[in-house]
């Protein structure tokens, strides 16, 4: 079987997305098990204890710069929104997979996309060439991704959008029927490929503690310059 690839188109490469990393994880069980809430709370406490240093953190700064390049000058990036929400309201359990990837995301200050993945098609990263309809996670109806916003898609179907619409696609949400997952760390020009890969490996190692039969492979990353 030909394995899918992660294809970074030139429009995304020009934004500094050259080191993106993605993996497929199979034999996963999505459940209400709260076994990863302990590590999520621990990571949150650690990060909250030195919040002031985050202002000059190259990982957070890189996401802000990326949004500026997209034309969103004063927009808070998804990873920072997550941290702020957890600090103000506390970390709430969602499901075991989301709790695990939130724990890793909070620890490293990155955005991690995790999606149900049964299509086995190439993943494309690009800036949208035209407005397109998109139904964000748990939204009742579609909204429009503006031209120029950053998108990654499974084949031709958007999985996530970054920019004015900062959301994952409802169609690929995690449910208790999800057994194959796609994990994506786009990063930016300040996050090397090895760093992005290590984020995904940390998540996989965490999940494997509870799911010893879990399998995974990394997609080959192809940068179209």
């Amino acid at each position: 079987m030909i394995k899918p690839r992660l294809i970074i188109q030139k429009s995304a490469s020009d934004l500094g997305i050259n080191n993106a990393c993605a993996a497929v994880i199979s034999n996963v069980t999505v459940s209400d098990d709260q076994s990863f809430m302990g590590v999520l709370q621990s990571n949150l406490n650690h990060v909250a204890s030195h919040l002031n240093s985050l202002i000059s953190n190259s990982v957070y700064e890189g996401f802000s710069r990326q949004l500026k390049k997209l034309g969103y000058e004063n927009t808070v990036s998804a990873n920072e929104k997550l941290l702020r929400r957890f600090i103000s309201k506390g970390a709430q359990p969602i499901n075991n997979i989301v709790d695990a990837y939130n724990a890793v995301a909070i620890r490293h200050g990155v955005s991690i996309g995790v999606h149900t993945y049964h299509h086995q098609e190439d993943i494309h990263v690009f800036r949208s060439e035209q407005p397109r309809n998109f139904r964000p996670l748990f939204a009742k109806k579609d909204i429009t991704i503006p031209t120029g916003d950053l998108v990654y898609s499974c084949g031709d179907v958007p999985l996530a959008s970054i920019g004015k619409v900062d959301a994952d696609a409802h169609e690929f949400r995690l449910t208790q029927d999800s057994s194959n997952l796609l994990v994506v760390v786009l990063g930016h020009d300040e996050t090397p490929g090895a760093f992005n890969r290590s984020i995904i490996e940390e998540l996989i190692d965490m999940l494997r503690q509870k799911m010893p039969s879990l399998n995974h492979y990394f997609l080959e990353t192809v940068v179209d310059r």
Side-chain angles (χ1 to χ4, degrees):
M1 187 183 80
I2 298 173
K3 286 184 176 173
R5 300 166 298 162
L6 178 65
I7 300 171
I8 302 169
Q9 296 182 11
K10 187 175 185 303
S11 58
S13 174
D14 289 345
L15 269 183
I17 296 176
N18 295 295
N19 305 317
C21 192
V24 173
I25 311 177
S26 54
N27 290 343
V28 168
T29 304
V30 180
S31 74
D32 293 331
D33 174 354
Q34 294 186 19
S35 54
F36 299 116
M37 280 302 295
V39 68
L40 172 53
Q41 192 59 56
S42 170
N43 289 354
L44 178 59
N45 292 346
H46 175 72
V47 172
S49 70
H50 61 274
L51 267 185
N52 292 342
S53 66
L54 289 182
I55 297 165
S56 56
N57 179 307
S58 64
V59 176
Y60 280 89
E61 279 184 341
F63 286 113
S64 295
R65 273 199 309 276
Q66 195 177 80
L67 283 166
K68 279 181 188 170
K69 286 179 185 173
L70 287 167
Y72 301 103
E73 188 76 30
N74 297 307
T75 305
V76 179
S77 59
N79 56 317
E80 194 172 333
K81 276 183 198 158
L82 180 71
L83 176 61
R84 287 183 185 183
R85 190 174 83 235
F86 280 174
I87 287 172
S88 67
K89 297 185 175 176
Q92 303 297 323
I94 296 173
N95 64 48
N96 58 337
I97 307 295
V98 175
D99 297 344
Y101 75 69
N102 279 342
V104 177
I106 287 291
R107 181 179 172 198
H108 297 284
V110 297
S111 288
I112 304 174
V114 180
H115 316 272
T116 296
Y117 182 67
H118 295 304
H119 297 68
Q120 302 298 311
E121 291 184 69
D122 287 342
I123 306 303
H124 296 268
V125 188
F126 56 95
R127 293 184 73 172
S128 187
E129 294 174 359
Q130 59 195 39
R132 57 194 302 169
N133 288 347
F134 177 79
R135 184 181 171 196
L137 203 58
F138 305 123
K140 294 278 192 289
K141 58 183 181 179
D142 286 3
I143 57 176
T144 302
I145 298 172
T147 300
D149 273 16
L150 188 60
V151 174
Y152 61 87
S153 66
C154 175
D156 192 42
V157 184
L159 289 169
S161 170
I162 297 103
K164 182 179 181 182
V165 180
D166 205 334
D168 293 341
H170 186 75
E171 183 181 345
F172 295 88
R173 69 194 180 280
L174 303 188
T175 72
Q176 297 200 349
D177 294 325
S178 305
S179 57
N180 289 342
L181 306 180
L182 174 77
V183 183
V184 179
V185 176
L186 291 185
H188 49 67
D189 43 14
E190 292 283 335
T191 61
F195 173 81
N196 294 337
R197 185 182 176 103
S198 72
I199 298 289
I200 296 177
E201 287 172 339
E202 183 175 326
L203 172 60
I204 289 167
D205 288 345
M206 192 184 294
L207 294 176
R208 193 169 268 132
Q209 294 169 18
K210 294 290 177 182
M211 304 168 208
S213 62
L214 175 155
N215 295 314
H216 77 280
Y217 65 85
F218 282 89
L219 277 63
E220 177 193 358
T221 300
V222 179
V223 182
D224 176 9
R225 299 183 197 278

